[in-house]
Amino acid sequence: MNILLTGGVGYIGSHTAVVLAETGHEVVLYDNFSNSSTDVIHRLTTIIGSDLPFVQGDVRDTARLTHALRTHHIEAVVHFAGLKAVGESVIQPIAYYDNNVNGAISLLQAMQTAGARTLVFSSSATVYGDPQYLPFDEAHPTSAINPYGRTKLHIEQMLCDVARTADHWRIACLRYFNPVGAHESGLIGENPKGIPNNLMPYVARVASGQLPHLEVFGADYSTADGTGVRDYIHVVDLAKGHLAALDFLRKEIGWHVFNLGTGRGYSVLEIVRAFELASNRPIPYRVAPRRMGDLAAYYAEPNRAKTVLNWQAERTLQEMCASMWRWQERLSRTAVD
Ligand code: NAD
Ligand code: UFG
Protein backbone atom coordinates (compact mmCIF):
# COMPACT_ATOMS: atom_id res chain seq x y z
CA MET A 1 0.00 0.00 0.00
CA ASN A 2 1.12 3.62 -0.54
CA ILE A 3 1.10 5.16 2.94
CA LEU A 4 1.82 8.74 3.95
CA LEU A 5 3.07 9.36 7.48
CA THR A 6 2.45 12.90 8.74
CA GLY A 7 5.07 13.59 11.39
CA GLY A 8 6.87 10.56 9.98
CA VAL A 9 10.31 11.90 10.87
CA GLY A 10 9.45 12.09 14.59
CA TYR A 11 10.02 9.50 17.30
CA ILE A 12 7.09 7.14 16.75
CA GLY A 13 6.70 7.98 13.05
CA SER A 14 10.29 7.03 12.19
CA HIS A 15 9.99 3.63 13.90
CA THR A 16 6.69 3.03 12.13
CA ALA A 17 8.28 3.98 8.80
CA VAL A 18 10.85 1.21 9.31
CA VAL A 19 8.23 -1.41 10.17
CA LEU A 20 6.00 -0.47 7.21
CA ALA A 21 8.87 -0.25 4.70
CA GLU A 22 10.28 -3.59 5.87
CA THR A 23 6.86 -5.15 5.30
CA GLY A 24 6.88 -4.00 1.69
CA HIS A 25 4.71 -0.88 1.92
CA GLU A 26 5.61 2.28 -0.01
CA VAL A 27 6.14 4.90 2.66
CA VAL A 28 6.15 8.68 2.16
CA LEU A 29 7.17 10.99 5.01
CA TYR A 30 5.51 14.37 5.47
CA ASP A 31 6.94 16.60 8.19
CA ASN A 32 7.61 20.27 8.95
CA PHE A 33 10.68 19.37 11.07
CA SER A 34 9.39 21.41 14.01
CA ASN A 35 10.50 18.59 16.32
CA SER A 36 12.80 16.50 14.14
CA SER A 37 15.67 16.85 11.69
CA THR A 38 16.71 15.68 8.23
CA ASP A 39 19.44 13.55 9.90
CA VAL A 40 16.71 11.07 10.81
CA ILE A 41 15.91 10.57 7.13
CA HIS A 42 19.54 9.63 6.39
CA ARG A 43 19.54 7.19 9.27
CA LEU A 44 16.25 5.67 8.05
CA THR A 45 17.94 5.10 4.69
CA THR A 46 20.75 3.22 6.47
CA ILE A 47 18.30 1.01 8.36
CA ILE A 48 15.96 0.29 5.46
CA GLY A 49 18.61 0.13 2.74
CA SER A 50 16.80 2.49 0.36
CA ASP A 51 15.61 6.09 0.30
CA LEU A 52 12.16 7.02 1.58
CA PRO A 53 10.46 9.86 -0.30
CA PHE A 54 9.75 12.80 1.94
CA VAL A 55 7.92 16.10 1.63
CA GLN A 56 8.76 19.03 3.85
CA GLY A 57 5.43 20.60 4.69
CA ASP A 58 3.00 21.53 7.42
CA VAL A 59 -0.21 19.53 7.82
CA ARG A 60 -2.08 22.81 8.00
CA ASP A 61 -0.97 23.53 4.42
CA THR A 62 -3.93 21.73 2.83
CA ALA A 63 -2.87 22.42 -0.76
CA ARG A 64 0.62 21.01 -0.23
CA LEU A 65 -0.75 17.99 1.57
CA THR A 66 -3.33 17.33 -1.16
CA HIS A 67 -0.58 17.58 -3.75
CA ALA A 68 1.57 15.09 -1.82
CA LEU A 69 -1.36 12.66 -1.50
CA ARG A 70 -2.08 12.85 -5.22
CA THR A 71 1.52 12.75 -6.45
CA HIS A 72 2.32 9.64 -4.43
CA HIS A 73 -1.06 7.94 -5.05
CA ILE A 74 -1.58 7.64 -1.31
CA GLU A 75 -4.13 5.06 -0.15
CA ALA A 76 -3.73 5.43 3.63
CA VAL A 77 -2.41 8.02 6.06
CA VAL A 78 -0.98 7.58 9.55
CA HIS A 79 -1.33 10.90 11.34
CA PHE A 80 1.47 11.41 13.88
CA ALA A 81 2.07 15.13 13.31
CA GLY A 82 1.26 17.31 16.27
CA LEU A 83 2.55 18.94 19.41
CA LYS A 84 2.70 16.69 22.46
CA ALA A 85 4.10 18.40 25.58
CA VAL A 86 1.44 18.63 28.28
CA GLY A 87 3.10 21.49 30.21
CA GLU A 88 3.68 23.55 27.07
CA SER A 89 0.04 23.05 26.06
CA VAL A 90 -1.06 24.79 29.27
CA ILE A 91 1.12 27.80 28.44
CA GLN A 92 0.41 27.88 24.68
CA PRO A 93 -3.08 26.40 24.20
CA ILE A 94 -3.69 28.31 20.95
CA ALA A 95 -0.60 26.78 19.33
CA TYR A 96 -1.80 23.33 20.42
CA TYR A 97 -5.35 23.74 19.09
CA ASP A 98 -3.99 25.23 15.87
CA ASN A 99 -1.39 22.53 15.25
CA ASN A 100 -3.35 19.55 16.44
CA VAL A 101 -7.02 20.34 15.72
CA ASN A 102 -6.56 22.56 12.65
CA GLY A 103 -3.90 20.14 11.43
CA ALA A 104 -6.38 17.25 11.63
CA ILE A 105 -9.11 19.25 9.84
CA SER A 106 -6.68 20.18 7.09
CA LEU A 107 -5.65 16.54 6.73
CA LEU A 108 -9.26 15.36 6.46
CA GLN A 109 -9.96 17.99 3.79
CA ALA A 110 -6.86 16.98 1.82
CA MET A 111 -7.73 13.29 2.08
CA GLN A 112 -11.29 13.94 0.95
CA THR A 113 -10.10 15.94 -2.05
CA ALA A 114 -7.47 13.36 -2.98
CA GLY A 115 -9.83 10.43 -2.45
CA ALA A 116 -7.85 8.72 0.33
CA ARG A 117 -10.19 7.43 3.03
CA THR A 118 -8.04 5.25 5.28
CA LEU A 119 -6.59 6.89 8.36
CA VAL A 120 -4.76 5.78 11.50
CA PHE A 121 -4.65 8.41 14.22
CA SER A 122 -2.12 8.77 17.07
CA SER A 123 -4.19 9.29 20.18
CA SER A 124 -3.17 8.91 23.79
CA ALA A 125 -4.19 7.20 27.02
CA THR A 126 -4.45 10.72 28.39
CA VAL A 127 -8.02 10.84 26.96
CA TYR A 128 -9.18 8.50 29.75
CA GLY A 129 -8.52 11.17 32.41
CA ASP A 130 -8.83 10.09 36.05
CA PRO A 131 -9.34 6.33 36.25
CA GLN A 132 -12.86 5.29 37.22
CA TYR A 133 -11.52 1.74 37.08
CA LEU A 134 -8.35 -0.01 35.96
CA PRO A 135 -7.10 -1.30 33.63
CA PHE A 136 -8.40 1.26 31.13
CA ASP A 137 -10.41 -0.48 28.43
CA GLU A 138 -11.64 1.34 25.34
CA ALA A 139 -15.12 1.74 26.87
CA HIS A 140 -13.76 3.73 29.83
CA PRO A 141 -15.32 7.23 29.82
CA THR A 142 -13.10 9.92 28.31
CA SER A 143 -12.19 13.31 29.70
CA ALA A 144 -9.11 15.48 29.61
CA ILE A 145 -7.43 17.62 32.19
CA ASN A 146 -5.09 19.71 30.00
CA PRO A 147 -5.19 21.41 26.58
CA TYR A 148 -3.03 18.70 24.95
CA GLY A 149 -5.46 16.01 26.06
CA ARG A 150 -8.42 18.10 24.94
CA THR A 151 -6.94 18.45 21.44
CA LYS A 152 -6.75 14.66 21.23
CA LEU A 153 -10.34 14.32 22.43
CA HIS A 154 -11.60 16.95 19.97
CA ILE A 155 -9.85 15.17 17.11
CA GLU A 156 -11.20 11.77 18.19
CA GLN A 157 -14.76 13.12 18.25
CA MET A 158 -14.30 14.78 14.87
CA LEU A 159 -12.90 11.59 13.32
CA CYS A 160 -15.73 9.54 14.78
CA ASP A 161 -18.27 11.90 13.16
CA VAL A 162 -16.43 11.74 9.83
CA ALA A 163 -16.34 7.94 9.95
CA ARG A 164 -20.14 7.90 10.37
CA THR A 165 -20.73 9.68 7.05
CA ALA A 166 -21.66 7.82 3.89
CA ASP A 167 -18.17 8.27 2.43
CA HIS A 168 -16.85 4.90 3.60
CA TRP A 169 -14.01 6.23 5.70
CA ARG A 170 -11.86 3.67 7.50
CA ILE A 171 -10.41 5.17 10.67
CA ALA A 172 -8.44 3.54 13.48
CA CYS A 173 -7.75 5.53 16.60
CA LEU A 174 -4.77 4.17 18.53
CA ARG A 175 -4.52 5.22 22.17
CA TYR A 176 -0.85 4.89 23.08
CA PHE A 177 0.22 4.30 26.65
CA ASN A 178 3.85 5.30 27.42
CA PRO A 179 6.11 4.71 24.39
CA VAL A 180 9.80 4.23 25.28
CA GLY A 181 12.93 2.59 23.89
CA ALA A 182 14.51 2.82 20.48
CA HIS A 183 15.25 0.83 17.34
CA GLU A 184 17.69 -2.03 17.89
CA SER A 185 20.19 -0.45 15.46
CA GLY A 186 20.68 2.45 17.88
CA LEU A 187 20.27 4.77 14.87
CA ILE A 188 16.87 6.27 15.67
CA GLY A 189 15.15 7.08 18.95
CA GLU A 190 13.72 9.92 20.97
CA ASN A 191 15.92 12.98 21.42
CA PRO A 192 13.95 15.63 23.29
CA LYS A 193 15.22 19.18 23.03
CA GLY A 194 16.44 20.67 26.33
CA ILE A 195 15.67 18.95 29.62
CA PRO A 196 13.37 15.96 29.05
CA ASN A 197 9.86 16.07 30.55
CA ASN A 198 9.33 12.32 30.42
CA LEU A 199 10.79 9.73 32.74
CA MET A 200 12.74 7.42 30.43
CA PRO A 201 14.69 10.06 28.48
CA TYR A 202 15.44 11.81 31.77
CA VAL A 203 16.71 8.60 33.35
CA ALA A 204 18.84 7.91 30.26
CA ARG A 205 20.53 11.30 30.61
CA VAL A 206 21.19 10.73 34.31
CA ALA A 207 22.76 7.36 33.46
CA SER A 208 24.98 9.03 30.87
CA GLY A 209 26.07 11.68 33.37
CA GLN A 210 24.47 14.61 31.52
CA LEU A 211 22.06 15.23 34.39
CA PRO A 212 23.08 14.82 38.04
CA HIS A 213 20.05 13.00 39.43
CA LEU A 214 16.43 12.10 38.78
CA GLU A 215 13.65 13.81 40.68
CA VAL A 216 11.01 11.25 41.56
CA PHE A 217 7.76 13.18 41.47
CA GLY A 218 6.01 11.84 44.55
CA ALA A 219 6.66 8.74 46.66
CA ASP A 220 3.40 8.91 48.61
CA TYR A 221 0.95 7.57 46.00
CA SER A 222 -1.18 4.57 46.91
CA THR A 223 1.00 2.25 44.79
CA ALA A 224 3.22 -0.63 45.95
CA ASP A 225 6.32 1.58 46.47
CA GLY A 226 4.53 4.96 46.56
CA THR A 227 5.77 6.13 43.14
CA GLY A 228 3.73 6.62 39.95
CA VAL A 229 2.87 3.57 37.83
CA ARG A 230 2.61 3.61 34.02
CA ASP A 231 2.26 1.13 31.18
CA TYR A 232 5.54 1.51 29.23
CA ILE A 233 5.54 0.07 25.73
CA HIS A 234 8.52 -0.49 23.42
CA VAL A 235 8.28 1.90 20.45
CA VAL A 236 8.93 -0.96 17.98
CA ASP A 237 5.97 -2.90 19.39
CA LEU A 238 3.93 0.29 19.10
CA ALA A 239 5.07 0.73 15.48
CA LYS A 240 3.91 -2.81 14.71
CA GLY A 241 0.51 -1.89 16.12
CA HIS A 242 0.15 0.59 13.22
CA LEU A 243 0.88 -2.13 10.70
CA ALA A 244 -1.79 -4.31 12.34
CA ALA A 245 -4.29 -1.42 12.28
CA LEU A 246 -3.65 -0.74 8.59
CA ASP A 247 -4.13 -4.45 7.77
CA PHE A 248 -7.39 -4.42 9.72
CA LEU A 249 -8.66 -1.34 7.86
CA ARG A 250 -8.30 -3.13 4.52
CA LYS A 251 -11.31 -5.21 5.60
CA GLU A 252 -13.30 -2.82 7.79
CA ILE A 253 -14.93 0.56 7.30
CA GLY A 254 -15.98 2.94 10.09
CA TRP A 255 -14.44 4.07 13.39
CA HIS A 256 -12.36 1.74 15.56
CA VAL A 257 -10.54 2.47 18.82
CA PHE A 258 -7.67 0.40 20.22
CA ASN A 259 -5.43 0.70 23.25
CA LEU A 260 -1.78 0.07 22.49
CA GLY A 261 -0.16 -0.90 25.76
CA THR A 262 1.24 -3.99 27.46
CA GLY A 263 -1.36 -4.27 30.23
CA ARG A 264 1.41 -4.18 32.86
CA GLY A 265 2.36 -1.16 34.96
CA TYR A 266 5.81 -0.32 36.35
CA SER A 267 6.62 2.20 39.05
CA VAL A 268 9.20 4.96 38.72
CA LEU A 269 11.55 3.08 41.05
CA GLU A 270 11.15 -0.14 39.04
CA ILE A 271 12.16 1.84 35.94
CA VAL A 272 15.19 3.24 37.77
CA ARG A 273 16.32 -0.25 38.79
CA ALA A 274 15.74 -1.71 35.32
CA PHE A 275 17.73 1.11 33.73
CA GLU A 276 20.58 0.69 36.20
CA LEU A 277 20.75 -2.95 35.16
CA ALA A 278 20.64 -2.18 31.43
CA SER A 279 23.22 0.59 31.57
CA ASN A 280 25.36 -0.76 34.39
CA ARG A 281 25.40 2.79 35.75
CA PRO A 282 23.97 4.17 39.00
CA ILE A 283 20.89 6.41 38.70
CA PRO A 284 20.94 8.73 41.71
CA TYR A 285 17.49 10.04 42.58
CA ARG A 286 15.75 12.32 45.06
CA VAL A 287 12.15 12.26 46.04
CA ALA A 288 10.48 15.54 45.04
CA PRO A 289 6.89 16.78 45.42
CA ARG A 290 4.21 15.33 43.14
CA ARG A 291 4.02 16.87 39.66
CA MET A 292 0.80 18.81 39.11
CA GLY A 293 -1.76 16.90 37.05
CA ASP A 294 -0.05 13.48 37.46
CA LEU A 295 -2.17 10.41 38.14
CA ALA A 296 -1.03 7.75 40.61
CA ALA A 297 -1.33 4.74 38.32
CA TYR A 298 -2.79 3.61 35.03
CA TYR A 299 -2.29 0.86 32.52
CA ALA A 300 -4.04 -0.63 29.52
CA GLU A 301 -6.48 -3.42 28.98
CA PRO A 302 -4.82 -4.54 25.71
CA ASN A 303 -7.17 -7.43 24.84
CA ARG A 304 -9.14 -5.70 22.12
CA ALA A 305 -6.00 -5.11 20.05
CA LYS A 306 -4.99 -8.72 20.70
CA THR A 307 -8.27 -10.29 19.60
CA VAL A 308 -9.26 -7.87 16.81
CA LEU A 309 -5.87 -6.79 15.41
CA ASN A 310 -3.95 -9.93 16.32
CA TRP A 311 -1.32 -7.64 17.84
CA GLN A 312 0.30 -7.64 21.23
CA ALA A 313 3.38 -6.06 22.75
CA GLU A 314 6.25 -8.53 22.95
CA ARG A 315 9.29 -6.66 24.21
CA THR A 316 10.21 -6.68 27.90
CA LEU A 317 11.11 -3.78 30.16
CA GLN A 318 14.76 -4.90 29.93
CA GLU A 319 14.62 -4.61 26.14
CA MET A 320 13.03 -1.16 26.42
CA CYS A 321 15.84 0.03 28.73
CA ALA A 322 18.64 -1.70 26.79
CA SER A 323 17.56 -0.17 23.45
CA MET A 324 17.10 3.23 25.08
CA TRP A 325 20.59 3.00 26.55
CA ARG A 326 22.14 1.98 23.19
CA TRP A 327 20.51 5.05 21.62
CA GLN A 328 21.58 7.32 24.49
CA GLU A 329 25.19 6.13 24.15
CA ARG A 330 25.10 6.95 20.46
CA LEU A 331 23.69 10.40 21.21
CA SER A 332 26.41 11.00 23.80
CA ARG A 333 29.12 9.86 21.33
CA THR A 334 27.92 11.97 18.44
CA ALA A 335 26.52 14.81 20.59
CA VAL A 336 23.49 14.98 18.28
CA ASP A 337 21.18 17.69 19.55
P1 NAD B 1 7.47 13.76 17.82
O1 NAD B 1 7.42 15.19 18.21
O2 NAD B 1 8.75 13.04 17.92
O3 NAD B 1 6.94 13.60 16.31
C1 NAD B 1 5.97 14.43 15.75
C2 NAD B 1 6.47 14.87 14.38
O4 NAD B 1 5.49 15.71 13.79
C3 NAD B 1 7.77 15.68 14.43
O5 NAD B 1 8.69 15.16 13.48
C4 NAD B 1 7.34 17.11 14.07
O6 NAD B 1 8.36 17.80 13.38
C5 NAD B 1 6.11 16.85 13.22
N1 NAD B 1 5.11 17.92 13.24
C6 NAD B 1 4.59 18.56 14.31
N2 NAD B 1 3.66 19.45 13.91
C7 NAD B 1 3.58 19.36 12.57
C8 NAD B 1 2.80 20.00 11.58
N3 NAD B 1 1.93 20.96 11.90
N4 NAD B 1 2.98 19.66 10.29
C9 NAD B 1 3.87 18.68 9.93
N5 NAD B 1 4.63 18.04 10.83
C10 NAD B 1 4.49 18.38 12.13
O7 NAD B 1 6.32 13.03 18.66
P2 NAD B 1 6.03 11.46 18.83
O8 NAD B 1 6.41 11.09 20.20
O9 NAD B 1 6.58 10.72 17.69
O10 NAD B 1 4.44 11.49 18.78
C11 NAD B 1 3.72 11.25 17.59
C12 NAD B 1 2.24 11.35 17.88
O11 NAD B 1 1.90 10.43 18.92
C13 NAD B 1 1.80 12.72 18.37
O12 NAD B 1 0.55 13.02 17.78
C14 NAD B 1 1.63 12.55 19.87
O13 NAD B 1 0.66 13.41 20.41
C15 NAD B 1 1.18 11.09 19.95
N6 NAD B 1 1.51 10.47 21.25
C16 NAD B 1 2.81 10.45 21.69
C17 NAD B 1 3.10 9.90 22.93
C18 NAD B 1 4.51 9.88 23.45
O14 NAD B 1 4.69 9.71 24.66
N7 NAD B 1 5.54 10.02 22.62
C19 NAD B 1 2.08 9.36 23.72
C20 NAD B 1 0.77 9.37 23.23
C21 NAD B 1 0.50 9.93 21.98
N1 UFG C 1 8.38 11.13 36.54
C1 UFG C 1 9.29 11.38 37.54
N2 UFG C 1 10.34 12.21 37.27
C2 UFG C 1 10.53 12.77 36.03
C3 UFG C 1 9.59 12.49 35.01
C4 UFG C 1 8.52 11.66 35.30
O1 UFG C 1 9.15 10.91 38.65
O2 UFG C 1 11.51 13.53 35.85
C5 UFG C 1 7.26 10.21 36.81
C6 UFG C 1 5.88 10.84 36.63
O3 UFG C 1 5.49 11.49 37.82
C7 UFG C 1 5.03 9.63 36.28
C8 UFG C 1 5.99 8.73 35.50
O4 UFG C 1 7.30 9.17 35.86
O5 UFG C 1 4.65 8.96 37.44
C9 UFG C 1 5.83 8.83 33.99
O6 UFG C 1 5.92 10.19 33.60
P1 UFG C 1 6.10 10.63 32.07
O7 UFG C 1 6.24 12.12 32.06
O8 UFG C 1 7.18 9.83 31.44
O9 UFG C 1 4.75 10.16 31.37
P2 UFG C 1 3.23 10.53 31.68
O10 UFG C 1 2.53 9.24 32.00
O11 UFG C 1 3.12 11.62 32.66
O12 UFG C 1 2.72 11.10 30.28
C10 UFG C 1 3.08 10.54 29.01
C11 UFG C 1 3.06 11.67 27.98
C12 UFG C 1 1.65 12.17 27.80
C13 UFG C 1 0.75 11.03 27.42
C14 UFG C 1 0.83 9.93 28.45
C15 UFG C 1 0.04 8.72 28.01
O13 UFG C 1 3.90 12.74 28.40
O14 UFG C 1 1.63 13.12 26.76
O15 UFG C 1 2.20 9.53 28.65
O16 UFG C 1 0.40 8.34 26.73
F1 UFG C 1 -0.52 11.47 27.34
Side-chain angles (χ1 to χ4, degrees), residues 27-208:
V27 174
V28 178
L29 309 173
Y30 187 98
D31 206 297
N32 68 358
F33 298 111
S34 59
N35 197 34
S36 51
S37 76
T38 46
D39 277 5
V40 175
I41 298 177
H42 303 311
R43 286 183 251 132
L44 283 174
T45 304
T46 308
I47 296 171
I48 295 163
S50 60
D51 287 337
L52 289 184
F54 79 93
V55 178
Q56 179 164 3
D58 195 293
V59 282
R60 290 162 295 180
D61 185 343
T62 317
R64 192 169 183 77
L65 196 47
T66 309
H67 185 257
L69 294 172
R70 283 193 166 134
T71 312
H72 295 279
H73 307 289
I74 295 300
E75 299 159 270
V77 175
V78 187
H79 183 42
F80 297 103
L83 302 179
K84 63 167 184 175
V86 172
E88 190 182 61
S89 78
V90 176
I91 298 162
Q92 301 176 28
I94 301 172
Y96 271 68
Y97 282 101
D98 184 28
N99 230 288
N100 295 0
V101 180
N102 281 340
I105 294 173
S106 169
L107 172 65
L108 288 169
Q109 289 168 332
M111 289 178 71
Q112 186 148 46
T113 306
R117 295 277 190 283
T118 299
L119 175 62
V120 175
F121 172 59
S122 297
S123 191
S124 165
T126 195
V127 300
Y128 292 121
D130 248 320
Q132 295 185 11
Y133 57 84
L134 283 172
F136 282 138
D137 58 26
E138 290 84 352
H140 187 284
T142 53
S143 71
I145 52 167
N146 56 63
Y148 166 71
R150 274 187 282 277
T151 66
K152 290 291 179 195
L153 263 186
H154 282 307
I155 298 167
E156 283 201 6
Q157 286 159 356
M158 188 165 72
L159 296 180
C160 181
D161 286 338
V162 168
R164 287 205 182 108
T165 62
D167 288 343
H168 291 90
W169 284 82
R170 299 160 187 265
I171 306 181
C173 168
L174 305 182
R175 292 178 178 157
Y176 309 156
F177 281 69
N178 288 50
V180 295
H183 190 260
E184 58 178 11
S185 63
L187 287 171
I188 53 171
E190 190 178 18
N191 186 20
K193 292 185 176 132
I195 295 184
N197 293 312
N198 298 117
L199 179 65
M200 272 282 200
Y202 202 106
V203 165
R205 290 200 190 170
V206 174
S208 73

